[in-house]
Amino acid sequence: MEIRALAVTADALAMALGVSGLLLLVLSAGSDCWRQDAKDPLSSVGLSVRCRGLWSECIFDNVASLWTCDIPISYLSEHPAVLVITRVLVILSGFLTLAAFPPFIAGMKCTNLIRDKVPLKYKFSLAAGSLFLLGGTAGAVAVLWYGIDTVQKYKLEVSFGIPGVTYELGYAYWLAAGGTACTCSAGILLIVASCLNAQSQEKDQSPRRRCPDFKGTYL
C-alpha cells in the first residue's frame, strides 16, 4: 500500500508539472514579447515599449495607451535562422508534451483504462515520461539558443555603442523557460517512478528461495 501511495503521488505531481509546462509553452508561443527594449541609455526615451516575439513585433505607446503589432506578410519569407529554429522547436515541444498525456493517463495508477495488466501500465508511463522529456529537451534547446543569441546581440550593441533600440530577454522567454523546466521534470519523475515500480513489482513476483530440507538425512 505504501508503494502504491507513493506511485499515485508521483503521478499527481507529474500531471501537475506536465499541465503547467504545456500551458506555459502555449502562453509563451502566443506572446509577442520574447525580447523587449532594454532600459539603458541606448534605448528609447520611455515614450513606448517595444517587444519582439516569434511571430510579430509590437509597440505599446505609453502616451496614447495603444498597443500595435507589425505582423509579417508571410511567415515563409526569409527570417533569421535562430528565429525559425526557435519556432520549430517550440511547436515541436508543445506537440510532444500534448502527445504524452494519453499514454500518461492510461498508465496512471488511479485509472482503470487498462485492467489487470500492470506491466503494460508501466510501459505506458515510461512512454509518457520519454515524450515529456523529449518535449522538454526540444524546448530547452530553443530557449538556450534564443537566449544566447539575444545576450550576444545586446553585448555587441552596447560595447560598440550602436544607436537604436537594444533588446533584452522578455517575459515570454521566461515563460518558455519555466515550461521546459516543468516538462523535463515531469518526464524525469515519470521515468524514475516507472523504473522503481517495475523493480519492486519484479521483486514481489519473484519466488522466494527455500532452504533444502535435510530431515532424515544421516551420514
Side-chain angles (χ1 to χ4, degrees), residues 16-162:
L17 289 172
V19 171
S20 300
L22 182 61
L23 291 177
L24 290 175
L25 286 172
V26 171
L27 288 175
S28 65
S31 301
D32 293 317
C33 203
W34 280 64
R35 289 175 180 171
Q36 64 183 12
D37 54 343
K39 307 303 179 184
D40 54 35
L42 299 178
S43 181
S44 58
V45 295
L47 299 178
S48 62
V49 177
R50 294 175 179 265
C51 282
R52 285 182 178 178
L54 299 181
W55 314 103
S56 61
E57 182 174 353
C58 299
I59 301 175
F60 180 75
D61 192 337
N62 293 325
V63 178
S65 297
L66 183 63
W67 185 265
T68 58
C69 294
D70 183 15
I71 301 175
I73 299 175
S74 175
Y75 292 117
L76 299 179
S77 58
E78 292 185 3
H79 296 287
V82 63
L83 180 62
V84 176
I85 294 175
T86 303
R87 288 176 180 175
V88 173
L89 290 177
V90 168
I91 293 174
L92 179 63
S93 177
F95 274 114
L96 288 174
T97 303
L98 185 62
F101 282 99
F104 177 38
I105 295 173
M108 292 180 70
K109 307 302 178 295
C110 57
T111 59
N112 293 324
L113 298 177
I114 303 173
R115 296 182 179 180
D116 300 330
K117 292 184 179 180
V118 177
L120 191 58
K121 273 183 170 286
Y122 292 150
K123 290 180 180 179
F124 274 113
S125 297
L126 190 60
S130 300
L131 288 173
F132 275 131
L133 190 57
L134 287 175
T137 302
V141 172
V143 167
L144 184 62
W145 194 347
Y146 194 89
I148 291 174
D149 182 75
T150 302
V151 172
Q152 286 181 344
K153 286 183 178 179
Y154 175 82
K155 290 183 177 180
L156 181 65
E157 292 172 356
V158 171
S159 61
F160 285 96
I162 299 175

